[in-house]
């Protein structure tokens, strides 16, 4: 069982930056796939950024060049650096770890981008 807790969300003006963190209980392994998703009001949950050992990092087209996913295995933490935020980036950001066929989710952290 892996428990995830996201932090770092908040209110930011368009063009600003935030760094989200996702702390995992226990150990994360290099083979774990890590991802950040966004749940905007009235919309489906969408994949924002992902890292897998096979495919490396991938990003949604809407955030390419502005967001960066990274991980620190020693700290069992995954990060999402978000630069040049836009109002459409508003939503709850959720961390996901996929270990084998089992996925784990955190409760999410709210990001609100004002125009």
């Amino acid at each position: 069982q892996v428990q995830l807790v996201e932090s770092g969300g908040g209110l930011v003006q368009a063009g600003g930056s935030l760094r989200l963190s996702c702390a995992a209980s226990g150990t994360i392994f290099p083979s774990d796939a890590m991802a950040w998703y966004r749940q905007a009001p009235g919309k489906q949950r969408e994949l924002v950024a992902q890292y897998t050992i096979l495919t490396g990092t991938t990003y949604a087209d809407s955030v390419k060049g502005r967001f960066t996913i990274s991980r620190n295995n020693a700290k069992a933490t995954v990060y999402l650096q978000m630069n040049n935020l836009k109002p459409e980036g508003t939503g709850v950001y959720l961390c996901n770890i996929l270990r084998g066929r089992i996925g784990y989710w955190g409760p999410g952290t709210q990001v609100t981008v004002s125009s």
Side-chain angles (χ1 to χ4, degrees):
Q1 187 78 14
V2 177
Q3 293 183 328
L4 305 175
V5 178
E6 301 93 338
S7 62
L11 174 64
V12 64
Q13 287 187 332
S17 298
L18 286 174
R19 188 194 194 203
L20 305 183
S21 298
C22 172
S25 63
T27 303
I28 59 174
F29 302 103
S31 58
D32 290 340
M34 321 290 295
W36 285 94
Y37 286 76
R38 177 171 60 214
Q39 180 77 61
K43 295 185 177 180
Q44 288 188 329
R45 186 174 296 183
E46 63 173 331
L47 179 63
V48 174
Q50 183 179 50
Y51 168 83
T52 76
I53 198 168
L54 292 177
T55 63
T57 54
T58 56
Y59 298 93
D61 287 342
S62 60
V63 307
K64 281 180 181 177
R66 300 186 296 116
F67 288 15
T68 304
I69 186 172
S70 62
R71 59 194 286 169
N72 184 322
N73 290 338
K75 294 184 177 181
T77 302
V78 182
Y79 304 97
L80 185 67
Q81 178 66 44
M82 307 187 294
N83 298 327
N84 190 20
L85 281 160
K86 301 179 180 181
E88 52 265 36
T90 293
V92 176
Y93 284 72
L94 304 105
C95 177
N96 173 268
I97 288 180
L98 183 63
R99 179 171 295 169
R101 296 183 177 183
I102 301 175
Y104 301 92
W105 293 91
T109 184
Q110 175 70 43
V111 172
T112 302
V113 186
S114 64
S115 56

